[in-house]
């Protein structure tokens, strides 16, 4: 990996001696910036939004009290890791998968595309318009825009770099309950674009697609959302469309190096990560008629506070051994939490999911076309995502109300230094 | 119209002696609340968001500086007019058109549906969960939620109330450039749901649809957006996907009575309005390659400030007579503004449009599936919308880059008093 400009904001420092629980609690309050050593990009920045500091000189940062505090909220583009992975979740996501056009499958074509794209992405995330953008006004608000690239197995195969692919890059093993639809599967290249403003997101996505149109075709596009900035306290766990607090047991920043970031193998992936995307339809009609107690049993957590059924606070550790008055486990061993929980600590994943809710279409189930764009990051999906999903596939009370309909895996190369382009040491290696 | 609880917040008071221009300027600043007599629901409220006052006792209102200022931002549900018409635009819209099920076409069925719906809408807009909602947590943020109902001609025909329909209620005349797609046309009933939070919107839409599912089927659903709260100063004109400031020349609050609100004819529509929805595809590929000067000629306004080409400020009045050094009109007579401008002041409309930007689908044109959900309100579309659209259809430079693909007209009954239901005096009359 080339030497990088180490922006202090990009370093993840952990408040010394803080437990994950304390850490998360701190982040859940407006005073997150006050937690010793909490870093801008790691959590405090986007959580406070406007406090995301600006890496370009001469551009001020705004305060949350400002009426346009999102306008100048920026996440640094360059750094050892790409932004958009452990960046606190913005309100909106657009995932776009592309396939190389048949006439553009040489390594030089991909280098050209990556140069153009990296330049545009870097410019837009810093509040400059993309190169030759005739509508710079559409980027008036950066709104914590991040643009992250990932490469599919098929990309490396097409451009003759199969030998540089990690073993985990490719289709996931089939799970028994999968009902995958071709339209949501795979892709040569993926862009994950996130922002706190749907309009900014739209323009950035459009601009990236346009830049690329002589090289690639769009394979699929997924639109997702969370609560708006201003609706819940920054750092608070957001709810999914089943009404559940979703994200509670995610690894804390001091665990990211162990769980997310690759630190061996091919150079181009050191500092990078593996991205798994599963489109999961949620069967709202069936969920709707389920009583509250059954919903809580299915998850192993309460709906209101998100606490495990053996605790009272969202961040209490679950007690899987606890028995109720009849001698039965308080947390159902087939609840989603119990099945997803890994006693093997090397098996964990970093989840970054979004809700989707679409007009009626081919994926409509009953009266809804909604669900979760499940996204997770890890060093190795075969060792982390797969064993978890195997347990869930086998037995998870939630299965009655969810169906996996799309699947893709992408290798996310390490971050860039100013002037570098995405995947440079893969493509030039 | 029944006697109404007149909430002072619902009255539109106009700053005495202020011109539209001054008024709009005032609204464009953070100091909007300081403009004498500016009312909460009329403009200042949503513009300032958190200052939208709360009609239920015991629920506090938040300040914009709060990190969850949207959570308690509410627009009063009851009042002489339905909310969501002259309510300052929220960031998100969902339009859902429904058709009565064949077994549910009696007037009693519709009365039952309207009772259920009005109750749920009133509750949700006040921050209470819908009746028997098992997921009240999904409404943690009201985010200026509004829910507005409209009736199509086909509804009145089906339930034997054709004689109560105003003459303008029905399909619009066909325009020469129309490329209407059945999937986006008409509908018995329309719900317009708006909020500043996409998650809140999703839950409210889902809940309303669910309540109704034994009575109606979804005919179509349209999702739209504007800039996020926090991205542009409240009251600032938002940009559309062509990068244009869109909304500048909209009638000021003191003109709403003349332009929007019906004050004669059938009782159920006095205090109501007519809603026109046109789905307009914007051909982004072609627009993208157009130079900036040509874009400004096509509109008659500049891209950066939105000023007419004869002025310097967004709210300057256009001078259609002004000639340039060659004796040619500075504002092209075929520009969108010149064609849309009405010398007959009774012909104007109140526009409330949203952007749409969808994954590839049947409506994709070139590489985009984006455009504008053009929505306007007026007393009588045949006298207001139609003559304008006829001029645009005939000759509007913008036509090269836009195509109308959907059309619908709904009669929006007057507002409710607490305890009333939508359309009560139509349905019981
Ligand atoms: C629509 C699909 C899904 C929904 C609605 C959902 C929802 C949730 C919720 C509400 C929690 C508890 C709160 C939290 O810790 O975040 C949770 C935990 C978790 N989920 Fe999921 N989930 C879904 C799919 C998945 C998938 C596909 C995986 C991975 C294969 C997964 C892995 C996990 C893990 C690892 C935890 C944390 C368990 C722990 O250590 O306590 N989930 N999920
Ligand atoms: C994609 C479609 C459309 C776009 C992008 C668009 C855009 C614009 C823009 C940028 C302006 C100037 C700023 C302003 O006053 O808001 C404008 C003005 C206007 N537009 Fe449109 N428009 C569209 C369709 C329509 C339609 C269908 C109608 C009605 C039939 C309409 C009626 C008007 C009117 C009445 C004005 C104000 C003219 C004046 O009095 O100055 N527009 N439009």
């Amino acid at each position: 990996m080339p030497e990088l400009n180490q922006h202090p904001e990009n370093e993840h420092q952990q408040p010394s001696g803080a437990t994950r629980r304390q850490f998360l609690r701190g982040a859940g309050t407006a005073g997150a910036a006050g937690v010793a050593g909490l870093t801008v990009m790691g959590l405090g920045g986007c959580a406070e939004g406007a406090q995301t500091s600006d890496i370009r000189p001469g551009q001020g940062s705004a305060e949350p009290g400002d009426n346009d505090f999102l306008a100048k909220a920026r996440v640094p583009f360059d750094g050892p890791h790409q932004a958009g992975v452990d960046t606190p979740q913005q309100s909106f996501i657009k995932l776009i998968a592309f396939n190389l056009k048949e006439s553009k499958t040489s390594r030089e074509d991909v280098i050209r595309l990556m140069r153009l794209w990296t330049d545009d992405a870097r410019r837009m995330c810093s509040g400059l318009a993309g190169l030759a953008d005739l509508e710079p006004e559409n980027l008036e608000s950066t709104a914590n825009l991040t643009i992250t690239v990932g490469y599919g197995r098929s990309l490396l195969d097409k451009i003759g770099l199969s030998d540089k692919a990690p073993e985990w890059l490719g289709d996931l093993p089939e799970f028994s309950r999968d009902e995958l639809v071709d339209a949501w599967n795979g892709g040569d290249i993926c862009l994950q674009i996130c922002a706190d403003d749907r309009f900014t997101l739209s323009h950035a996505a459009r601009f990236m697609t346009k830049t690329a149109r002589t090289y690639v075709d769009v394979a699929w596009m997924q639109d997702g959302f969370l609560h708006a900035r201003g609706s819940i306290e920054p750092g608070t766990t957001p709810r999914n469309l089943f009404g559940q607090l979703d994200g509670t047991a995610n690894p804390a920043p001091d665990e990211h190096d162990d769980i997310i970031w690759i630190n061996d193998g091919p150079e181009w992936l050191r500092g990078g990560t593996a991205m798994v995307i599963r489109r999961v339809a949620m069967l709202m009609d069936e969920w709707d008629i389920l009583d509250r107690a059954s919903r809580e049993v299915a998850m192993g957590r309460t709906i209101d506070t998100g606490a495990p059924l053996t605790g009272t606070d969202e961040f209490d550790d679950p007690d899987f051994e606890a028995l109720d008055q009849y001698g039965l486990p308080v947390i159902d061993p087939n609840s989603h939490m119990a099945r997803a929980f890994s006693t093997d600590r090397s098996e964990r994943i970093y989840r970054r999911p979004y809700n989707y809710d679409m007009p009626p279409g081919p994926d409509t189930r009953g009266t809804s076309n909604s669900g979760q764009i499940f996204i997770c990051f890890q060093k190795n999906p075969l060792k982390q995502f797969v064993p978890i999903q195997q347990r869930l596939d086998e037995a998870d009370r939630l299965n009655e109300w969810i169906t996996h309909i799309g699947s893709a895996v992408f290798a996310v190369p390490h971050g860039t230094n100013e002037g570098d382009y995405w995947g440079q040491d893969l493509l030039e290696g």
Side-chain angles (χ1 to χ4, degrees), chain A:
Chain A
M1 191 168 80
E3 213 187 52
L4 291 159
N5 277 340
Q6 301 272 344
H7 298 293
E9 306 92 316
N10 284 358
E11 302 264 85
H12 295 124
Q13 294 157 20
Q14 170 69 358
S16 57
T19 64
R20 181 183 79 181
R21 197 172 113 183
Q22 286 167 328
F23 187 90
L24 286 167
R25 278 218 181 118
T29 72
V35 175
L38 201 64
T39 58
V40 170
M41 192 171 154
L43 195 55
C46 204
E48 290 289 325
Q51 297 187 1
T52 307
S53 67
D54 196 325
I55 52 163
R56 312 269 153 170
Q59 296 171 327
S61 71
E63 293 296 316
D66 289 357
N67 283 314
D68 58 352
F69 65 95
L70 284 178
K72 293 206 171 78
R74 287 175 201 155
V75 179
F77 179 83
D78 291 304
H81 310 305
Q82 286 191 61
V85 175
D86 67 353
T87 305
Q89 286 190 269
Q90 299 97 324
S91 299
F92 300 98
I93 192 171
K94 223 184 231 293
L95 288 168
I96 316 179
F98 300 90
N99 288 330
L100 294 184
K101 283 186 193 288
E102 280 182 23
S103 59
K104 300 284 178 180
T105 53
S106 76
R107 211 195 288 188
E108 289 64 42
D109 290 320
V110 177
I111 290 178
R112 247 175 256 129
L113 173 60
M114 290 303 143
R115 279 190 196 278
L116 291 170
W117 258 356
T118 313
D119 188 46
D120 282 337
R122 185 182 282 125
R123 291 170 63 93
M124 289 197 284
C125 294
S126 337
L128 304 166
L131 209 62
D133 186 353
L134 294 171
E135 294 160 331
E137 288 81 3
N138 282 353
L139 247 171
E140 270 165 347
S141 173
T142 39
N144 289 312
L145 177 67
T146 57
I147 307 182
T148 316
V149 79
Y151 301 148
R153 172 84 206 191
S154 53
L155 177 80
L156 275 68
D157 290 348
K158 284 182 187 174
I159 62 175
L161 292 175
S162 309
D163 58 320
K164 300 271 185 76
E167 34 120 40
W168 50 258
L169 189 58
D171 290 345
L172 290 167
E174 220 184 288
F175 300 98
S176 72
R177 303 189 69 261
D178 281 0
E179 297 185 20
L180 305 185
V181 175
D182 275 345
W184 299 119
N185 287 343
D188 293 346
I189 310 177
C190 180
L191 290 183
Q192 175 195 273
I193 314 183
C194 297
D196 279 315
D197 183 309
R198 183 63 184 74
F199 184 84
T200 301
L201 180 67
S202 205
H203 180 68
R206 168 78 194 149
F207 199 77
M208 294 297 278
T209 311
K210 207 165 68 184
T211 296
R213 72 177 156 193
T214 55
Y215 299 92
V216 290
D217 295 311
V218 172
W220 50 256
M221 189 187 287
Q222 303 194 39
D223 261 300
F225 60 91
L226 298 175
H227 262 302
R229 299 293 304 280
S231 265
I232 58 175
E233 287 287 338
T236 309
T237 311
R239 290 189 189 271
N240 62 34
L241 295 174
F242 281 169
Q244 305 159 329
L245 290 172
D246 198 336
T248 306
N250 240 357
D254 67 332
E255 301 175 291
H256 292 182
D257 275 340
D258 285 344
I259 293 172
I260 303 176
W261 305 118
I262 297 169
N263 52 12
D264 56 9
E267 194 67 34
W268 68 280
L269 271 173
R270 291 196 204 165
T273 182
M275 179 185 202
V276 170
I277 303 171
R278 303 281 291 186
R279 191 169 177 92
V280 187
M282 291 166 45
L283 314 184
M284 302 300 291
D285 295 345
E286 283 75 21
W287 183 259
D288 277 341
I289 53 179
L290 193 66
D291 62 279
R292 230 174 134 89
S294 309
R295 293 178 188 203
E296 298 187 335
V297 169
M299 182 49 59
R301 291 180 173 271
T302 65
I303 295 275
D304 57 351
T305 63
L309 294 178
T310 52
T312 54
D313 183 273
E314 182 186 354
F315 298 106
D316 284 346
D317 283 326
D319 176 359
F320 295 108
E321 310 302 320
L323 302 178
D324 67 13
Q325 49 182 344
Y326 310 105
L328 297 170
V330 178
I331 297 174
D332 186 318
N334 284 336
S335 65
H336 181 71
M337 179 176 62
R339 298 294 297 179
F341 182 86
S342 296
T343 43
D344 178 348
R345 302 309 275 166
S346 73
E347 205 186 84
R348 288 179 311 144
I349 54 178
Y350 184 76
R351 291 170 289 143
R352 204 173 186 276
Y354 282 87
N355 308 303
Y356 75 84
D357 158 32
M358 300 279 295
D363 298 323
T364 296
R365 312 225 156 198
T367 64
S368 72
N369 185 2
S370 343
Q372 176 166 108
I373 308 174
F374 176 89
I375 300 169
C376 72
F377 296 99
Q378 61 262 295
K379 292 178 177 199
N380 185 333
L382 298 179
K383 295 192 180 153
Q384 294 167 276
F385 171 82
V386 169
I388 302 173
Q389 178 55 24
Q390 252 154 6
R391 286 198 303 272
L392 296 178
D393 183 61
E394 239 171 70
D396 170 3
R397 291 220 175 279
L398 213 58
N399 286 343
E400 206 173 322
W401 303 280
I402 65 176
T403 310
H404 289 236
I405 60 173
S407 182
V409 179
F410 298 100
V412 175
H414 62 68
T416 45
N417 207 337
E418 219 182 307
D420 295 347
Y421 63 87
W422 282 329
Q424 187 161 350
D425 49 8
L426 167 69
L427 296 164
E428 294 182 3

